[in-house]
């Protein structure tokens, strides 16, 4: 596969700026980010604390507005969308994996995974069936009726990954998905993200400052002080070709 | 509890039992979800998520429902006591059976405001077409002197000598007919205990009124009155002897009248007014007049209104606070849903559904508690006024809706200003 095929839209940013606050207390988190993120690759976003990684993926995922600059995500100019349209965009196209998992404690594992489908208008029955299927794929088929609190951190993150992918989104964003789990579990999670998320037309961006997992990236973009310091091909030291048929 | 308010009580009891069943929804973690299931199926699955959130944490859920129930209980109970007190201002009118029209002086503003009319009024009333019968009714205040020399103010009722029309119906001892015995009187149960505390009900007790001997020949049960004075019934001719002669020489305050069968009492009352120049009111009109007087000219409504308003404010504060806190505690989850693309109006619907369920169940439990409180407190403390008409149920229901809406509005505001971006910022 060729990640530069123009029909496959990824993410493009030109001179992206983000300020938090205003006046005296203004903080410029992004100072003109220029970046291309191609579909079909696992992109790692790395850099020191406070350099703007979270800010950047929040903007790309449509949960945060940029202050200025041009960017398009999957060929859509998010800045032009109204609030509800942006919510719909997220619901349909974005899968989220959070550092703290953010599973809903009052729903079972299967019900949690069903939530993105429910937000997209599926009935509970359909949603739960699909959710159970994908839970088998992340090897949690026997825990569908458990509550998140009954699972280990690694298991919870696997549930979160299942939830992020159940509705087949074209953009997967993950913010520090491995920092709340131990090294071995971290590897397993990155492995899972590679296996499950990588598809020719899917953009996958993982924020991490966990050097132990850098080897999973196809491309490693380094941010420093609100700017892109480098964008390199990854070493891909951990896995064989993720896109080879299983 | 009075008849005529049994239906609301029944309704409240049924509804509150239903609420308690729904409340138990919160108990099992997820295995059963009748309510969540029903609402989730009927509306969309988002409602179901909302209810899961609401009932997911049992103790929080009970705390919210308790807050709302307590608010509702306060409002319903205080309003019911108010209604009870208002009802007492008219108990004597309601306790006077048989007649459907009261004829009185044009200046009368309420029951206790009796002013005498000329003693031949009864004949003039009888001559009005449409009047089936008309009899005198004496009503005034008397002073009873007990055997030990103490005095007790009493309400003295004098019934028409020939017919005893308007007599009490619920006799506990003796009979109405015994009033034909010279000097005979009937005393109400509460009045008996007031005059002879800790003595069993009995006949044969003797008191003196206006230096005349009166013998208790019977005890009857009266509705609680506002003033809680003993109410003594005797014959009209006897009653006029039990009080000092009035300076005007006129003795009759009321003429009790019955309209001929088939004629509306209102119409006959208007005819009596036209022909005699007296005031003639149907029983209902007289009830309304008396109640209106107390509402307009006494501090009761203001004082009770304050209590009800306070109950409302306290209730709103408690219910609003617990519900709002619940939303705040779940803000992270709302944020997650928002980030995952749930639209604002769905989030608003979630909060409203949660509010409605809490309000609906809290209302049922609260009204149920108030009803149970009313039934038991009346057994334990007969002096407590408690009357639960449907209006009280409606008022507490309306109050509940307002409380839930207020609380939801605060919660909705919090969720609306929530930036979806916060989900990435927590904990890192
Ligand atoms: N809501 C906010 N209000 C004000 N300033 C903020 C806010 N969020 C982030 N910032 C600032 O913006 C800059 C970039 O923050 P960001 O969270 O994007 O960094 P990061 O690279 O994700 O850091 P970390 O690795 O610690 O998560 C920081 O200086 C931070 O203090
Ligand atoms: Mg961060």
């Amino acid at each position: 596969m060729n990640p530069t095929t123009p029909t496959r839209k990824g993410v493009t940013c030109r001179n992206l700026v983000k300020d938090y606050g205003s006046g005296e207390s203004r903080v410029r988190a992004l100072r003109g980010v220029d970046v291309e993120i191609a579909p079909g690759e696992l992109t790692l976003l790395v850099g020191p604390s406070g350099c703007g990684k979270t800010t950047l993926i929040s903007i790309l995922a449509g949960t945060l507005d940029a202050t200025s600059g041009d960017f398009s995500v999957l060929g859509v100019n998010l800045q032009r969308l109204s609030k509800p349209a942006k919510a719909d965009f997220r619901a349909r196209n974005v899968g989220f994996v959070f550092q703290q998992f953010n599973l809903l404690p009052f729903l079972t594992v299967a019900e949690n995974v069903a939530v993105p489908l429910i937000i997209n208008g599926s009935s509970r029955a359909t949603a739960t069936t699909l959710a159970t299927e994908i839970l088998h794929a992340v090897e949690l088929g026997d825990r569908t009726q458990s509550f998140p609190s009954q699972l280990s951190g690694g298991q919870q993150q696997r549930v979160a990954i299942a939830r992020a992918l159940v509705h087949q989104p074209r953009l997967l964003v993950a913010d520090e998905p491995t920092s709340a789990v131990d090294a071995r579990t971290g590897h397993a999670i990155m492995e899972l993200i590679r296996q499950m998320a990588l598809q020719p037309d899917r953009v996958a961006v993982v924020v991490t400052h966990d050097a132990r997992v850098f080897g999973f990236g196809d491309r490693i973009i380094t941010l420093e002080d609100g700017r892109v310091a480098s964008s390199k091909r990854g070493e891909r030291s951990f896995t064989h070709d993720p896109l080879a048929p299983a | 509890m009075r008849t005529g308010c049994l239906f609301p009580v029944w309704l409240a009891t049924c509804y509150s039992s239903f609420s308690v069943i729904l409340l138990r929804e919160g108990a099992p973690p997820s295995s059963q979800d009748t309510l969540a299931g029903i609402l989730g199926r009927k509306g969309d699955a988002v409602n179901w998520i909302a209810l899961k959130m609401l009932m997911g944490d049992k103790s929080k859920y009970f705390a919210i429902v308790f807050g709302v129930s307590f608010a509702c209980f306060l409002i319903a109970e205080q309003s019911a006591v108010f209604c009870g007190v208002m009802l007492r201002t008219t108990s004597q009118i309601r306790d006077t059976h048989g007649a459907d029209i009261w004829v009185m002086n044009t200046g009368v503003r309420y029951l206790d405001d009796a002013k005498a009319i000329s003693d031949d009024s009864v004949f003039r009333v009888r001559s009005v077409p449409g009047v089936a019968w008309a009899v005198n009714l004496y009503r005034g205040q008397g002073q009873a002197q007990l055997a030990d020399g103490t005095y007790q103010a009493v309400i003295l009722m004098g019934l028409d000598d020939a017919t005893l029309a308007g007599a009490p119906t619920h006799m506990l001892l003796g009979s109405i007919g015994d009033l034909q015995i010279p000097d005979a009187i009937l005393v109400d149960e509460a009045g008996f205990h007031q005059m002879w505390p800790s003595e069993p009900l009995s006949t044969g007790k003797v008191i003196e009124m206006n230096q005349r001997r009166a013998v208790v020949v019977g005890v009857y049960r009266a509705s609680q009155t506002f003033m809680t004075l003993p109410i003594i019934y005797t014959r009209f001719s006897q009653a006029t002897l039990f009080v000092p002669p009035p300076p005007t020489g006129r003795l009759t305050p009321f003429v009790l009248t019955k309209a001929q069968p088939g004629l509306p009492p209102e119409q006959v009352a208007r005819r009596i007014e036209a022909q005699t120049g007296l005031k003639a009111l149907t029983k209902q009109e007289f009830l309304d007049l008396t109640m209106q007087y107390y509402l307009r000219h006494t501090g009761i409504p203001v004082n009770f209104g304050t209590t009800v308003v306070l109950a409302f404010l306290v209730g709103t504060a408690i219910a609003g606070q617990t519900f709002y806190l619940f939303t705040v505690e779940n803000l992270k989850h709302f944020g997650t849903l928002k980030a995952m693309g749930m639209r604002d109006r769905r989030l608003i619907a979630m909060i409203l559904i949660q509010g409605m369920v809490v309000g609906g169940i809290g209302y049922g439990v609260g009204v149920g508690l108030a009803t149970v409180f009313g039934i038991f407190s009346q057994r334990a403390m007969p002096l407590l006024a408690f009357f639960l008409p449907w209006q009280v149920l409606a008022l507490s229901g309306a109050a509940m809706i307002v409380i839930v809406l207020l609380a939801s509005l605060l919660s909705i505001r919090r969720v609306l200003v929530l930036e979806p971006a916060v989900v990435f910022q927590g904990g890192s």
Side-chain angles (χ1 to χ4, degrees), chain A residues 20-21 25 27-30 47-56 175-176 207 209 223, chain B residues 425 428:
Chain A
Y20 286 109
S25 60
V27 178
R28 180 150 288 192
L30 298 181
S49 182
C51 68
K53 306 181 294 290
T54 299
T55 305
L56 181 57
D175 195 4
E176 316 264 12
V207 167
H209 58 221
L223 280 188
Chain B
Q425 285 164 351
S428 59

Side-chain angles (χ1 to χ4, degrees), chain B residues 2-63:
Chain B
R2 290 157 218 280
T3 49
C5 66
L6 280 179
F7 179 69
V9 169
W10 175 82
L11 199 72
T13 315
C14 284
Y15 181 70
S16 63
S17 328
F18 177 64
S19 304
V20 171
I21 294 170
L22 288 185
L23 182 67
R24 288 187 48 242
E25 272 292 282
S30 161
S31 44
Q32 302 172 344
D33 46 36
T34 342
L35 182 62
I38 294 166
L39 282 172
R41 212 168 307 131
K42 278 231 71 161
D44 57 24
V46 174
N47 295 346
W48 165 81
I49 297 178
L51 293 182
K52 282 288 183 179
M53 183 189 286
L54 177 65
M55 297 169 178
D57 185 331
K58 201 172 26 173
S59 52
K60 267 186 214 159
Y61 172 59
F62 284 140

Side-chain angles (χ1 to χ4, degrees), chain A residues 23-50:
Chain A
E24 290 287 292
S25 60
R26 196 179 67 168
V27 178
R28 180 150 288 192
L30 298 181
R31 310 166 170 270
V33 169
D34 292 297
V35 81
E36 296 278 343
I37 300 173
E41 292 187 340
L42 182 59
T43 302
L44 299 188
L45 200 55
V46 304
S49 182

Side-chain angles (χ1 to χ4, degrees), chain B residues 218-230:
Chain B
V219 180
Y220 69 96
R221 177 165 294 165
S223 306
Q224 277 295 335
T225 61
F226 188 55
M227 301 295 286
T228 63
L229 293 180

Side-chain angles (χ1 to χ4, degrees), chain A residues 20 54 57-58 61-64 83-85 87-88 90-91 96-100 102-108 111 115-116 118-119 122-124 147 163 173-176, chain B residues 29-30 33 36-37 40-41 45-46 48-49 52-54 56-57 330 332-334 336-344 346 416 418-421 423-428:
Chain A
Y20 286 109
T54 299
I57 58 155
S58 302
T63 60
L64 190 67
K83 241 180 119 186
D88 290 348
R90 292 198 300 272
F96 292 89
V97 179
F98 309 99
Q99 182 179 8
Q100 301 298 329
N102 289 25
L103 298 174
L104 304 175
F106 45 86
L107 297 183
T108 64
E111 291 166 350
V115 167
I118 288 173
I119 292 177
S122 295
S123 74
R124 247 176 81 201
F147 282 89
R163 177 177 70 176
V173 292
D175 195 4
E176 316 264 12
Chain B
S30 161
D33 46 36
R41 212 168 307 131
V46 174
W48 165 81
I49 297 178
K52 282 288 183 179
M53 183 189 286
L54 177 65
D57 185 331
N330 280 295
K332 181 183 174 191
H333 308 314
F334 281 116
T336 304
L337 291 170
K338 204 167 182 172
M340 292 199 298
M342 189 175 283
R343 281 199 186 186
D344 281 348
R346 307 291 283 286
L416 286 187
L418 184 68
E419 285 293 334
V423 288
F424 283 126
Q425 285 164 351
S428 59

